[in-house]
Amino acid sequence: MQFDSCFDIIGPIMVGPSSSHTAGVVSIGKFVHTWLGDLDHVTITFYGSLASTYQGHGSDKAIIGGLLGLSSRDLNIRSAYALAKDRHLDYHFTLVPDAPPDYHPNTVQVEAASRAGTLHIIGASIGGGVAMIYAINHQEASINLGTGVDIDTIVAKTKKEVSDV
Amino acid sequence: MTETMKDIVAACQERGVSLGEWMIQREIERTGGEREKIFAQMQERLSVMKEAVAQGINDLEETTSKLSGGDAYRMHQYNQTTDPLSGPTISKAMEAAMATSESNAKMNVIVATPTAGSAGILPGIMISLQENHHVNDEALTMGLFAASAIGYVFANHAFVSGAAGGCQAEVGSATAMAAGTITELRGGSPEAVTHAVAMAMKSLLGLVCDPVGGLVEVPCVKRNVIGTSIAFSAADMALAGIESRIPCDEVIHTMHTIGKDMPGSLKETAEGGLAQTPTGLQAAQRVYQRPCNL
Ligand code: SF4
């Protein structure tokens, strides 16, 4: 069940304009930031609908904002580029409008590096502000980043599972 | 499979509770959290809704795309100075819905209900019920739990995103949630709530998602505004004892089938509908002159 909490339906509290192209995308970025801490370099690939409509929805600002550790309701998302500059985040975007057929139309891939290490994830913003992480370091995963989910807890738990493998 | 509307109504009848109460109890059981905390979390959403409306009504600015903005202010002035044809209840809801959807387009803080594109409808009806029918914050918060119970069925048995199911999944679901919520807040039974939901949804079946330039502005903002009046009409019918001849769950299922059949060009890709009108295309061109800051 992808929508389980009442707050997945009434929520998130978020900076507009799109729950799937803005808020959910922030959560994917924040997942990476929570995992690695402050980032030095990051390469972001937007697939499908995100690649073709990111400008109007501020999805670029959303992912950068999330990668800087902002939450979906933080108004600073609007000035994410300026913030990235202040924090010396080196970012690079790739756009792939024709997503592979088995990808969700709102898929994002992030390759990030910080002092703590590197991380490669594939995730998708599936609507209503809910995001999923489908792969971590090329291993299949299925992590729900719903509205009620505490990203710190989820990241700690996933890290443990990954190191146990 | 998750609960259908029928299951929820049966559970409500068995326990003698409202849909809102059913949903808060479910969340308490699911998370093990305290009732007060969960209630407060929902009440916070109500406050954010009110702030977005208060801000939006006085904001005359246009969005960066120049496709929306300033209309909530115009609607508010009109409502203040004339006797709007749709009466105080609906005209207030229209104004508040517009203020919210315009705020959303300006990247202000809103509450997705169930999505950001359809975020205007619930605040619209909530604020109007408070202003015109003296429904207090506590009751409105329970109303939001009722709305989420309805949205929960839509999200798990159909969809709530334009990209997946067209605008019927966004503005349609949100309007249906609003219709059911009004019915519950005005004392309708859980059964009556499902009829309001079904009647509202039926009138929006097949609605396509065709945003100009892929932006959540045209036709989104005004669809939110008009969604509020559909919600009140459906609720009034249900409160009058009128029933939907097609049961609610079958209507929700129909929304799902129609959404699956809908061509991709009409599902948030801006490749069809209003997005492809000459004016829509021109507007899109202006927007995409923003260089990708990459
Ligand atoms: S037209 Fe599309 S983007 Fe606009 S409100 Fe409807 S579903 Fe959302």
Side-chain angles (χ1 to χ4, degrees), chain B residues 118-217:
Chain B
S118 54
I121 300 164
L122 269 165
I125 64 113
M126 293 267 154
I127 282 179
S128 177
L129 284 175
Q130 180 147 74
E131 196 157 298
N132 293 297
H133 301 278
H134 316 292
V135 182
N136 65 23
D137 280 357
E138 255 81 332
L140 288 183
T141 306
M142 285 314 288
L144 287 176
F145 281 105
S148 63
I150 301 162
Y152 163 79
V153 178
F154 276 90
N156 289 307
H157 290 269
F159 7 57
V160 289
S161 91
C167 200
Q168 54 162 7
E170 286 201 19
V171 165
S173 304
T175 303
M177 284 157 62
T181 305
I182 300 167
T183 308
E184 178 146 305
L185 288 174
R186 295 287 288 169
S189 67
E191 180 99 51
V193 169
T194 67
H195 289 297
V197 170
M199 289 187 280
M201 188 63 242
K202 282 193 294 186
S203 56
L204 290 164
L205 282 177
L207 189 65
V208 301
C209 171
D210 50 355
V212 168
L215 302 177
V216 193
E217 295 185 56

Side-chain angles (χ1 to χ4, degrees), chain A residues 1 3-7 9-17 19 21 54-57 60 73 75 78 81 93, chain B residues 2 26-27 30 44-45 104 107-110 112 114-116 144 148 152 156 214-216 288 290 292 294:
Chain A
M1 195 191 319
F3 297 87
D4 198 12
S5 165
C6 50
F7 301 115
I9 308 295
I10 304 297
I13 298 172
M14 55 166 280
V15 171
S19 43
H21 289 67
Y54 72 93
Q55 288 158 306
H57 291 130
D60 48 346
R73 62 187 292 181
L75 274 176
R78 295 182 191 164
Y81 280 116
F93 277 94
Chain B
T2 58
R26 183 180 177 282
E27 188 72 7
R30 197 182 71 83
E44 187 197 2
R45 282 156 165 76
N104 178 54
M107 288 186 91
N108 284 328
V109 177
I110 54 92
T115 64
L144 287 176
S148 63
Y152 163 79
N156 289 307
L215 302 177
V216 193
Y288 289 104
R290 162 153 101 83
C292 38
L294 314 180

Side-chain angles (χ1 to χ4, degrees), chain B:
Chain B
M1 205 53 195
T2 58
E3 296 90 336
T4 58
M5 285 305 289
K6 199 169 164 220
D7 298 333
I8 297 177
V9 169
C12 287
Q13 284 166 345
E14 204 187 290
R15 294 186 221 166
V17 298
S18 63
L19 263 84
E21 182 57 33
W22 176 84
M23 194 61 177
I24 192 171
Q25 287 182 8
R26 183 180 177 282
E27 188 72 7
I28 295 168
E29 277 162 34
R30 197 182 71 83
T31 60
E34 285 166 37
R35 185 186 176 96
E36 289 69 35
K37 272 203 191 135
I38 293 171
F39 187 86
Q41 240 179 307
M42 195 58 100
Q43 198 158 23
E44 187 197 2
R45 282 156 165 76
L46 180 64
S47 319
V48 174
M49 288 178 181
K50 288 187 180 182
E51 280 162 33
V53 171
Q55 198 183 11
I57 277 175
N58 293 311
D59 189 347
L60 258 169
E61 240 177 273
E62 285 191 314
T63 56
T64 12
S65 70
K66 305 222 176 302
L67 284 170
S68 63
D71 288 340
Y73 176 81
R74 278 181 272 278
M75 194 73 225
H76 181 59
Q77 294 306 316
Y78 172 81
N79 288 345
Q80 297 286 308
T81 51
T82 58
D83 183 10
L85 293 170
S86 40
T89 301
I90 290 181
S91 63
K92 182 70 201 178
M94 287 166 67
E95 162 189 318
M98 194 158 239
T100 308
S101 291
E102 284 186 351
S103 291
N104 178 54
K106 291 176 194 165
M107 288 186 91
N108 284 328
V109 177
I110 54 92
V111 185
T113 55
T115 64
S118 54
I121 300 164
L122 269 165
I125 64 113
M126 293 267 154
I127 282 179
S128 177
L129 284 175
Q130 180 147 74
E131 196 157 298
N132 293 297
H133 301 278
H134 316 292
V135 182
N136 65 23
D137 280 357
E138 255 81 332
L140 288 183
T141 306
M142 285 314 288
L144 287 176
F145 281 105
S148 63
I150 301 162
Y152 163 79
V153 178
F154 276 90
N156 289 307
H157 290 269
F159 7 57
V160 289
S161 91
C167 200
Q168 54 162 7
E170 286 201 19
V171 165
S173 304
T175 303
M177 284 157 62
T181 305
I182 300 167
T183 308
E184 178 146 305
L185 288 174
R186 295 287 288 169
S189 67
E191 180 99 51
V193 169
T194 67
H195 289 297
V197 170
M199 289 187 280
M201 188 63 242
K202 282 193 294 186
S203 56
L204 290 164
L205 282 177
L207 189 65
V208 301
C209 171
D210 50 355
V212 168
L215 302 177
V216 193
E217 295 185 56
V218 177
C220 319
V221 174
K222 286 167 194 143
R223 279 187 187 160
N224 275 264
V225 174
I226 291 173
T228 61
S229 56
I230 294 178
F232 278 109
S233 305
D236 265 337
M237 283 195 278
L239 289 163
I242 295 167
E243 301 192 341
S244 169
R245 305 290 165 117
I246 310 281
C248 190
D249 288 307
E250 291 180 32
V251 175
I252 296 173
H253 178 73
T254 305
M255 192 267 267
H256 190 221
T257 2
I258 295 176
K260 280 194 297 192
D261 287 345
M262 209 178 262
S265 60
L266 299 172
K267 288 197 269 198
E268 213 170 340
T269 50
E271 285 163 6
L274 292 166
Q276 288 293 318
T277 54
T279 311
L281 288 169
Q282 256 172 26
Q285 234 181 2
R286 276 200 317 269
V287 175
Y288 289 104
Q289 274 160 9
R290 162 153 101 83
C292 38
N293 212 340
L294 314 180

